[in-house]
């Protein structure tokens, strides 16, 4: 049986490994196919696609868009997005500018709390990536203000903490529409992380607006959560996807990439959906 991993971050956003390195890990872990799903960017796709060819690993071009709905953090994955479309680049660069402005506000808050961190330092850490809170966490760690990423989020960067700043609010509907418009397949990421009792109504609302799949398999979904969303996906005739959400952090010297052992059988319906979407 062959395995796949459909949720992976690279240095193009806030991951630790370059797209090339991700392919090398996927090869070592014997994966058949992977999807690169960086936050609000498609900049890592070409490198991954090219390297994937060399190693005979199928690379699905993807993206993960961060959105908000009624104060809930909702992430929408977009598979097979047309990364060559110029209007997609324009939309994404708009989102990334707002991330930059938000990071400046976070730094300002941290400075007011007495931390000597500069925007130049953050930009150095980000490199060519999409700026996000993990980069700011890294700066806090470098200064020994916190011991790890977890502490950075729990004490300062997480929602409701003293250096928290909301992202520019794009709605999940806007993300779904844009993904569809750019020939992608919109899938709700890690639904189990969205804590809300009325969540089923939100899922129905998203489906009515074009959502086509649910990320059922995710490291933060326990067995019951997985089962719950598997059943919802079946009930609403949604695609079932899954991935490790690998950011490159090492466990016993290896990234989590591929560790969910997701069966390749989930790839075929996703591919079919893409073809139906674009009408071929
Ligand atoms: P941002 O896109 O700037 O809002 O940052 C979100 C990213 O921060 C997520 O994709 C995770 O990589 C990371 N993150 C969010 N919450 C935590 C947490 N409590 N601990 C560690 N990393 C987190
Ligand atoms: Zn991330
Ligand atoms: Fe996410
Ligand atoms: Fe993610």
């Amino acid at each position: 049986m062959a395995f796949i991993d459909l949720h992976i971050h690279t240095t193009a956003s806030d991951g630790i490994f370059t797209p090339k390195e991700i392919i090398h890990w996927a090869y070592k872990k014997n994966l058949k196919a992977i999807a690169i799903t960086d936050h609000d960017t498609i900049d890592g796709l070409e490198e991954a696609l090219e390297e994937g060819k060399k190693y005979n690993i199928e690379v699905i071009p993807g993206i993960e868009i961060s959105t908000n709905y009624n104060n809930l953090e909702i992430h929408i994955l977009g598979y097979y997005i047309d990364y060559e479309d110029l209007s997609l680049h324009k939309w994404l660069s708009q989102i990334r500018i707002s991330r930059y402005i938000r990071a400046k506000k976070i730094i300002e808050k941290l400075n007011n709390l007495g931390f000597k961190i500069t925007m130049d330092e953050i930009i150095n850490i980000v490199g060519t990536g999409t700026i996000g809170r993990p980069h700011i966490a890294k700066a806090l760690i470098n200064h020994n203000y916190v011991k790890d990423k977890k502490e950075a989020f729990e004490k300062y960067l997480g929602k409701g903490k003293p250096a928290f700043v909301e992202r520019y609010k794009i709605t999940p509907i806007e993300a779904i529409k844009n993904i569809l418009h750019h020939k992608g397949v919109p899938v709700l990421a890690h639904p189990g992380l969205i804590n809300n009792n009325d969540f089923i109504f939100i899922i129905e609302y998203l489906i009515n607006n074009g959502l086509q799949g649910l990320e059922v398999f995710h490291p933060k979904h326990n067995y019951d959560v997985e089962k719950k969303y598997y059943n919802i996906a079946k009930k609403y005739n949604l695609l079932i996807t899954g991935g490790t959400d690998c950011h490159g952090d090492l466990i016993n010297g290896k990234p989590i990439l591929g560790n969910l052992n997701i069966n390749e059988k989930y790839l075929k319906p996703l591919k079919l959906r893409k073809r139906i979407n674009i009408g071929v």
Side-chain angles (χ1 to χ4, degrees), residues 10-271:
T10 75
T11 46
S13 63
D14 56 0
I16 291 167
F17 292 117
T18 63
K20 263 189 185 173
E21 288 166 337
I22 287 293
I23 298 295
H24 301 165
W25 274 112
Y27 180 75
K28 279 183 209 156
K29 295 206 171 203
N30 216 6
L31 298 179
K32 184 182 179 194
I34 62 161
I36 301 293
T37 54
D38 275 310
H39 300 287
D40 305 335
T41 184
I42 46 175
D43 289 353
L45 296 181
E46 276 179 39
E47 182 181 316
L49 284 156
E50 222 168 274
E51 197 70 3
K53 272 187 214 147
K54 289 185 204 158
Y55 286 80
N56 201 22
I57 291 168
E58 185 175 346
V59 176
I60 292 113
I63 194 160
E64 182 178 24
I65 307 281
S66 310
T67 79
N68 294 81
Y69 180 74
N70 281 347
N71 269 332
L72 296 174
E73 171 97 20
I74 295 181
H75 293 180
I76 307 287
L77 296 157
Y79 292 112
Y80 294 108
I81 193 136
D82 182 6
Y83 55 92
E84 284 173 332
D85 187 328
L86 256 186
S87 70
L88 177 65
H89 286 253
K90 277 189 199 162
W91 179 55
L92 295 175
S93 62
Q94 218 177 347
I95 296 178
R96 288 203 299 275
I97 290 167
S98 70
R99 276 183 169 275
Y100 178 84
I101 295 166
R102 169 200 186 220
K104 273 176 92 167
K105 287 184 190 157
I106 295 176
I107 296 305
E108 228 174 83
K109 283 197 168 185
L110 286 171
N111 291 156
N112 290 338
L113 289 166
F115 298 119
K116 295 189 180 6
I117 288 178
T118 64
M119 202 56 193
D120 282 347
E121 250 180 284
I122 304 296
I123 288 164
N124 233 333
I125 294 168
V126 174
T128 53
T130 304
I131 197 162
R133 285 176 291 165
H135 300 114
I136 299 172
K138 183 82 188 356
L140 286 166
I141 297 165
N142 290 351
H143 280 270
N144 289 320
Y145 290 138
V146 294
K147 66 174 190 307
D148 56 23
K149 200 155 120 180
K150 189 166 174 277
E151 190 184 345
F153 275 88
E154 279 171 4
K155 281 195 176 157
Y156 307 110
L157 304 174
K159 201 174 171 91
K161 305 300 172 192
F164 177 75
V165 179
E166 290 276 5
R167 269 191 319 270
Y168 164 70
K169 284 198 168 63
I170 115 159
T171 68
I173 305 301
E174 199 180 333
I176 289 170
K177 300 267 182 233
N178 264 296
I179 289 167
L180 285 169
H181 178 73
H182 294 101
K183 302 176 182 158
V185 180
V187 171
L188 179 61
H190 42 65
L193 301 191
I194 309 166
N195 282 321
N196 190 287
N197 290 334
D198 307 322
F199 195 53
I200 194 68
F201 295 114
I202 299 175
I203 290 183
E204 283 184 355
Y205 172 60
L206 299 181
I207 295 169
N208 289 336
N209 281 280
L211 187 78
Q212 297 181 325
L214 279 188
E215 186 175 55
V216 170
F217 309 110
H218 187 276
K220 290 192 174 149
H221 288 177
N222 63 29
Y223 179 71
D224 287 342
V225 171
E226 196 176 287
K227 208 164 91 182
K228 175 179 165 189
Y229 289 104
Y230 184 90
N231 289 334
I232 292 175
K234 287 287 177 201
K235 180 176 169 196
Y236 291 90
N237 203 15
L238 294 168
L239 295 163
I240 291 165
T241 73
T244 58
D245 211 346
C246 172
H247 280 76
D249 305 273
L250 299 179
I251 304 159
N252 299 326
K254 289 180 187 157
I256 191 177
L257 184 87
N259 286 7
L260 285 180
N261 289 346
I262 296 163
N263 194 311
E264 65 170 323
K265 73 177 181 190
Y266 294 106
L267 194 52
K268 210 171 162 188
L270 184 63
K271 260 186 212 170

